[in-house]
Amino acid sequence: MRIAALRGRETLEVEEAPVPSIEPDEVLVRVVASGVCASELEPWLTGPPVGEVRYPGHEVSGVVVEIGAEVTVPAVGDRVGVWVTERGFAEYVAVRAAYCFPAGDGRLDEALAEPIACSVNALEAADVRLGDDVVIIGAGFMGNLVQKLAALRGPRHLIVADARADALERAVRLGATRTVDVTKESLPEVVRSLTGGRGADITFECTGTQRALTVCGDTTRMSGTITIVGFHQGADRTIPLAYWNWMAFRVVNAHFRDVAVIMRGMSVGMRLLAGGVLSMDGLVSHRFPLEEINTAFATLREKPDGFVKAVVTFPEP
């Protein structure tokens, strides 16, 4: 089979490797799509340590082609979203059956269970309630997912902020009650004007930038919730902790390492997707064959107009 190996700075090479063998509790999945995640951008930009090779890819969907002796569900032929931690940019992955979730009848290249699970878990940890005033900073792929899921909770205001006109237009189509172009308006001022000076009940930071992290404290009400969804790479971040302390913010780290929590998020997310409650239509904007995987990462870095999410796709046999 073919698999992408990270061997240098901005250098993923397509190599031949054996099809993985499976354990009794595993299944073999023929990969249809593997998402290009922002968390893997920094490793691609810097490359692995000298002498090492990495095999990225963890947002996988595909079709089960073989099952282990102990597996009853899923069955051969089932369409699934799966959880893997590496080697996802490959034609096949071996994965525990318990880490596979039904993908429904929609497009498999949109059935990206792992980022959906991240968004589900972020919403549940933040505990958005009926009538809440919600701010989402960042209208990229993860911000869009958080927005879609937050809308299911029935907020009063669903305010989305970004610096890109196309991203804000998309947020409107997805149901934002107000958008804020942060290059033209003050987000804190807009939020205060809409909430009677009170501030947002919950602010989701979905960019992974210092600027967004800083403004969270200026948009959130006293004893409100700041939920950090963005993946913060590179330099250390700073916050005015004395002010955050005094404001009694509840700070939620929406990054999860407990496998049981991740699995529950995947189960809930894929039920919503397969049941038609959550739509991924329009959130996968760019598709690339495996041979163009470096272009896929470069597109993520550059974020051209209209960019939301890139996936690497594999042709049907």
Side-chain angles (χ1 to χ4, degrees):
M1 70 169 189
R2 297 175 302 150
I3 186 171
L6 183 63
R7 292 189 171 274
R9 297 176 64 179
E10 302 182 19
T11 306
L12 280 157
E13 298 179 356
V14 178
E15 302 177 350
E16 289 292 329
V19 173
S21 58
I22 58 173
E23 299 294 329
D25 64 344
E26 292 183 330
V27 302
L28 184 67
V29 174
R30 175 177 57 78
V31 177
V32 170
S34 187
V36 180
C37 180
S39 69
E40 293 173 324
L41 181 59
E42 187 75 13
W44 177 76
L45 290 169
T46 60
V50 175
E52 293 186 19
V53 181
R54 300 284 170 82
Y55 294 91
H58 61 272
E59 299 181 356
V60 172
S61 61
V63 178
V64 177
V65 294
E66 183 182 347
I67 63 174
E70 298 174 0
V71 175
T72 57
V73 177
V76 171
D78 283 358
R79 309 167 81 248
V80 292
V82 308
W83 183 63
V84 296
T85 57
E86 61 179 357
R87 305 182 74 86
F89 294 121
E91 292 179 307
Y92 294 90
V93 295
V95 58
R96 287 184 60 187
Y99 297 167
C100 298
F101 298 88
D105 299 324
R107 297 187 61 138
L108 272 177
D109 60 5
E110 295 178 347
L112 303 176
E114 194 273 344
I116 293 173
C118 292
S119 303
V120 165
N121 285 330
L123 256 291
E124 297 207 328
D127 192 24
V128 178
R129 300 184 179 187
L130 287 169
D132 274 350
D133 295 324
V134 176
V135 170
I136 298 170
I137 303 175
F141 177 67
M142 291 302 294
N144 290 167
L145 277 176
V146 169
Q147 179 186 339
K148 280 175 167 281
L149 291 166
L152 298 177
R153 295 288 185 97
R156 179 178 69 158
H157 293 297
L158 188 50
I159 305 160
V160 179
D162 205 289
R164 297 165 297 163
D166 62 309
L168 293 172
E169 290 168 4
R170 186 170 61 252
V172 171
R173 294 196 298 270
L174 296 179
T177 60
R178 176 70 152 86
T179 59
V180 178
D181 183 337
V182 296
T183 68
K184 299 176 180 178
E185 293 184 284
S186 164
L187 176 60
E189 289 180 7
V190 170
V191 173
R192 285 193 291 270
S193 70
L194 291 172
T195 62
R198 183 167 176 263
D201 296 294
I202 300 174
T203 299
F204 290 92
E205 186 284 301
C206 299
T207 72
T209 65
Q210 175 66 62
R211 182 177 180 183
L213 191 62
T214 300
V215 81
C216 284
D218 297 326
T219 63
T220 309
R221 67 168 173 82
M222 183 172 283
S223 298
T225 298
I226 294 173
T227 306
I228 301 171
V229 181
F231 194 74
H232 288 265
Q233 303 177 87
D236 290 344
R237 304 294 192 252
T238 61
I239 59 170
L241 187 56
Y243 176 69
W244 283 33
N245 236 175
W246 184 79
M247 287 292 288
F249 293 140
R250 183 172 74 102
V251 180
V252 173
N253 182 356
H255 290 258
F256 306 92
R257 299 294 176 260
D258 187 309
V259 174
V261 174
I262 296 169
M263 291 304 103
R264 185 181 184 282
M266 292 187 78
S267 176
V268 170
M270 294 306 282
R271 288 177 70 183
L272 293 172
L273 183 70
V277 178
L278 174 66
S279 171
M280 297 285 283
D281 184 38
L283 296 193
V284 174
S285 57
H286 290 67
R287 296 168 172 86
F288 299 88
L290 184 61
E291 292 76 12
E292 296 179 17
I293 188 169
N294 289 300
T295 303
F297 272 88
T299 303
L300 169 60
R301 175 186 60 196
E302 294 157 9
K303 292 182 175 62
D305 283 350
F307 177 83
V308 189
K309 177 74 170 180
V311 297
V312 172
T313 59
F314 297 82
E316 300 285 339

